[in-house]
Amino acid sequence: MPARPPDADPVDPADTIGVGDEIEVPTVRLVAGGDALARTDDGRVVLVEGALPGERILAEVTGVRPRLLRARLLDVVEPAADRVEPSCPELARGCGGCDLAHAAPAAQPELKAEVVRDSLRRIARLDDVEVLAGHPLPSAGYRTTVRAAVRDTHAGFRSRRSHDVVVVGGCEVAHPLAAELLVDGVFDGVDEVVVRVGARTGERMVVAHPTAAGVSVPADVRVVGTDELRRGRRAWIHEEVAGHRFRISADSFFQARPDGAEALVSAVRGALGDPGPDAEFVDLYGGVGLFSVALGSAAPVLVERSAAAVADARVNLEDRRARLLKMSVRRWRPTPCDVLVADPARAGLGSEGVAAVAGSGAARVALVSCDPAALARDAASIVGLGYRLLGVELVDLFPQTHHVEAVSAFELLEPTRRAVSV
Ligand SMILES: C[S@@+](CC[C@H](N)C(=O)[O-])C[C@H]1O[C@@H](n2cnc3c(N)ncnc32)[C@H](O)[C@@H]1O
């Protein structure tokens, strides 16, 4: 082979490692999504599923891009102190439901806090924000809403490595009332099923897609098909949070555990500086009214685009002078208020949500985020419009998984200005 001329382009490092190669690398930290970030000797980033920070691992490369490798964990050469053997037997059978079960539950909130700090540093350039990991919530039997796929009339979860459905003989994170339906239910003619239970009311519901005709579950369970919901049928259960009873319809969002909902309410209350009932309160992306109800607002303004959720909110807030606006936040004309909570879907506020938040001129804002990258983008935008980020408190609603909720507290720097122009 001829020698490379001295002025030839440097060798592209991506050429030196290929798919199928085995590499031994140290892991540095978790990233949003739950993978561990490791670095090769020449400094390239490797994302590895199933590893923890502070380990030395052997992994097989599964994807090569110019600046990023993906790899599959083969062996943990030096384990992190927080590594544990997952207790759920379904994981060994390939269930992809709990992607952080290899970390000790007590260590998970801090691992997630580090992911949030890193997102704020890298994406928002906010370096010294206090991010509290929050108090751990029970890591088993907690989940009151569970979405499952169906194979051969039985419920299961997608495999970690493919789209195959692993039919499960149990689920450690599902609330026992939900786990029983997942394991014993028969779902003939169903592709996907959502099991919802009220942990504190004992009420249960199964929502089957595309139809519920072939569903067989105990007689106490309300059963409804998405075809029936489309034709206008209503079905709901109730749950209790912070001493309040909530109606939750089949297609309304509700937090997936009542103790977690209480932790969120408490974090939002703190972020808003403990507003009294008479504070002008706006609840953006308000759902069935969790924050409006539980924070005790006398006359909340709730903005929500789901008709089912607004109908529930009307019932849940019937003892208040609430203004319920069934519309997209994009179309809301901000009204001035003292305090505002915004709890958007995974994509975050985006420009329209940020404009709505800032347009209200709220002196205090609580932003509830379920994606660290979206949180960082939104925080940067809100800070850019004249707010100070006071701190972030995490609520670990979903132990054993990489998911986390973050409540960020913002304060308007010039509170006399009632509406911030955007
Ligand atoms: C994460 S949930 C939060 C609901 C409520 N805050 C709670 O804690 O139960 C987000 C809610 O925002 C609603 N939503 C999503 N996009 C919206 C939009 N552009 N405008 C208004 N509501 C929206 C969804 O229907 C859902 O009810």
Side-chain angles (χ1 to χ4, degrees):
M1 182 190 280
R4 284 166 55 79
D7 58 349
D9 288 341
V11 175
D12 180 351
D15 291 342
T16 62
I17 298 180
V19 170
D21 286 355
E22 290 186 10
I23 51 175
E24 194 182 307
V25 281
T27 54
V28 185
R29 56 183 170 81
L30 285 194
V31 295
D35 287 349
L37 182 150
R39 279 196 194 279
T40 59
D41 288 343
D42 60 7
R44 265 180 303 159
V45 167
V46 191
L47 294 181
V48 193
E49 190 189 291
L52 293 175
E55 302 195 305
R56 197 162 179 85
I57 55 151
L58 183 66
E60 179 190 339
V61 175
T62 55
V64 178
R65 285 205 261 143
R67 292 170 54 204
L68 177 74
L69 304 173
R70 290 200 171 270
R72 182 172 71 88
L73 183 66
L74 296 175
D75 195 18
V76 181
V77 181
E78 289 167 21
D82 294 324
R83 177 169 282 278
V84 294
E85 194 56 43
S87 54
C88 181
E90 304 300 335
L91 284 170
R93 298 180 51 236
C95 174
C98 290
D99 57 4
L100 201 57
H102 51 284
Q108 291 175 18
E110 186 49 38
L111 286 170
K112 297 177 190 186
E114 201 41 47
V115 172
V116 171
R117 287 182 199 114
D118 183 62
S119 288
L120 287 169
R121 270 193 301 264
R122 283 185 310 105
I123 300 173
R125 305 278 171 228
L126 293 167
D127 287 333
D128 46 12
V129 180
E130 185 177 42
V131 178
L132 297 176
H135 299 293
L137 293 164
S139 60
Y142 64 81
R143 224 185 143 124
T144 53
T145 298
V146 185
R147 182 179 297 274
V150 175
R151 198 188 81 202
D152 301 335
T153 76
H154 291 290
F157 299 106
R158 296 280 168 204
S159 155
R160 256 195 318 284
R161 309 218 184 288
S162 69
H163 284 297
D164 294 349
V165 177
V166 179
V167 170
V168 291
C171 176
E172 285 195 356
V173 295
H175 188 279
L177 287 171
E180 182 199 318
L181 296 180
L182 289 171
V183 173
D184 296 341
V186 177
F187 304 104
D188 198 5
V190 177
D191 297 336
E192 189 180 79
V193 67
V194 177
V195 171
R196 300 191 92 167
V197 305
R200 292 165 179 176
T201 60
E203 295 178 21
R204 307 199 281 182
M205 176 161 59
V206 159
V207 185
H209 180 77
T211 178
V215 173
S216 175
V217 287
D220 68 286
V221 182
R222 256 147 272 185
V223 178
V224 62
T226 53
D227 53 349
E228 297 170 280
L229 292 175
R230 263 201 318 279
R231 291 197 296 269
R233 187 181 152 197
R234 302 299 311 272
W236 53 72
I237 58 167
H238 297 88
E239 180 61 290
E240 285 169 16
V241 174
H244 300 278
R245 184 176 164 87
F246 290 85
R247 188 182 96 175
I248 306 158
S249 287
D251 39 11
S252 298
F253 173 90
F254 200 67
Q255 305 294 344
R257 56 189 300 172
D259 57 353
E262 278 161 1
L264 274 180
V265 166
S266 152
V268 168
R269 179 179 285 116
L272 296 180
D274 204 359
D278 297 325
E280 291 171 311
F281 178 83
V282 168
D283 190 353
L284 291 188
Y285 311 89
V288 306
L290 172 68
F291 296 123
S292 291
V293 171
L295 290 173
S297 171
V301 174
L302 181 145
V303 184
E304 164 62 50
R305 74 176 175 195
S306 151
V310 171
D312 292 336
R314 198 168 305 288
V315 173
N316 299 333
L317 284 157
E318 65 189 354
D319 60 343
R320 317 285 173 90
R321 285 176 288 114
R323 272 184 69 207
L324 305 177
L325 304 175
K326 195 210 99 40
M327 59 166 61
S328 168
V329 166
R330 182 166 45 85
R331 289 184 36 235
W332 180 58
R333 289 171 63 104
T335 43
C337 63
D338 300 320
V339 293
L340 178 148
V341 58
D343 182 8
R346 181 158 299 279
L349 293 172
S351 53
E352 63 197 42
V354 169
V357 167
S360 74
R364 292 286 283 256
V365 170
L367 171 66
V368 184
S369 315
C370 57
D371 178 72
L375 156 62
R377 285 193 299 272
D378 292 342
S381 302
I382 294 173
V383 166
L385 288 168
Y387 282 84
R388 186 159 68 94
L389 176 52
L390 300 174
V392 180
E393 180 177 343
L394 303 191
V395 178
D396 194 8
L397 281 187
F398 303 104
Q400 310 291 46
T401 80
H402 72 273
H403 295 285
V404 68
E405 299 282 319
V407 178
S408 308
F410 298 87
E411 181 183 56
L412 186 58
L413 287 173
E414 293 176 52
T416 48
R417 203 165 41 148
R418 276 306 293 234
V420 176
S421 42
V422 289

